[in-house]
Amino acid sequence: MDSTWINAPAKINIGLDVLRRREDGYHEVKMIMQSIRLFDRLTLTKSSEPGIRLTTNLHFLPVNEDNLVYRSAKLLMDEFQIEGGLDIHLDKRIPVAAGMAGGSTDAASCMLALNRLYRLGLSKRQLMKRGLTLGADIPYCVLKGTALSEGIGEKLSTIPRMPDCYILIAKPGIHVSTRFVYSNLVLDDHTPHPDIDAMIDAMRQRDLHGLCALLGNVLETVTIPAHPEIASIKQYMMESGALGSLMSGSGPTVFGIFDDLDRAKAAREQCRQLPYRCFAFVTDLYR
């Protein structure tokens, strides 16, 4: 096999809590992660010319070691002393800087594809361990599906699958700095922490309505005051029939959970008319 391709799914945070700030500067988190059927696609092709060559459909993305895809490929090629070169094309469809782990899922998928292309024989757990050296979200993006993420994001547990539903994604045309959000997060007695354990129980009972009533993301306490349009999009989704709506990650992407596909599609068209230049997309869960 001289070439292979792989889809890299986006993720959303069904629940996101931050427990404390550690002495090393990292934050202790407790999150429910869910893959959705919105994909980037990577194509990997062996080459006789040494080196890694990365191309992408977006002109503003780096194609050197500033890109996690490049770094993930280099990590495995160096470790296993792979001879020859590698051409990688990244077809980017997940919005950039959206709180949907786009860069991390691309890196994870690159490692999965390279493992297959060169028959390295690494298990998912072995790939997750290597991926952690590049980013805290990469181990989850190797695992995919529904998972509980703890520690700085590297401690992953399988949990009951999220009930079937439709997901409306709306990413407004604004930029949110993850560093800004975490550095301005206040954790005190007044901080509204989501009940992650109760959310897992609702998923175990296949209770979509109960789960949606519990949605919570502690980072909204920072991002929404800085970007109130996020709260407006959430409110619009609820008024349009969403069972629940939440910001994903540190933002700015908002998602709504629907039990009716037609209603989700109607809300998508209206989101595209909002004055925030929204990328809007309806999909379902990636298992």
Side-chain angles (χ1 to χ4, degrees), residues 26-42:
Y26 287 98
H27 287 80
E28 199 86 16
V29 298
K30 189 172 184 178
M31 308 182 291
I32 298 176
M33 316 275 270
Q34 176 63 55
S35 304
I36 61 172
R37 297 181 64 81
L38 170 60
F39 304 103
D40 292 341
R41 176 172 286 198
L42 291 97

Side-chain angles (χ1 to χ4, degrees), residues 203-241:
M203 294 164 75
R204 184 175 291 112
Q205 296 167 23
R206 315 302 297 161
D207 182 3
L208 182 62
H209 285 76
L211 172 63
C212 289
L214 294 165
L215 297 181
N217 180 347
V218 73
L219 300 183
E220 288 187 345
T221 61
V222 180
T223 308
I224 286 180
H227 301 282
E229 53 265 62
I230 292 173
S232 297
I233 296 171
K234 287 182 61 180
Q235 181 180 351
Y236 173 77
M237 287 190 180
M238 295 302 293
E239 292 172 351
S240 299

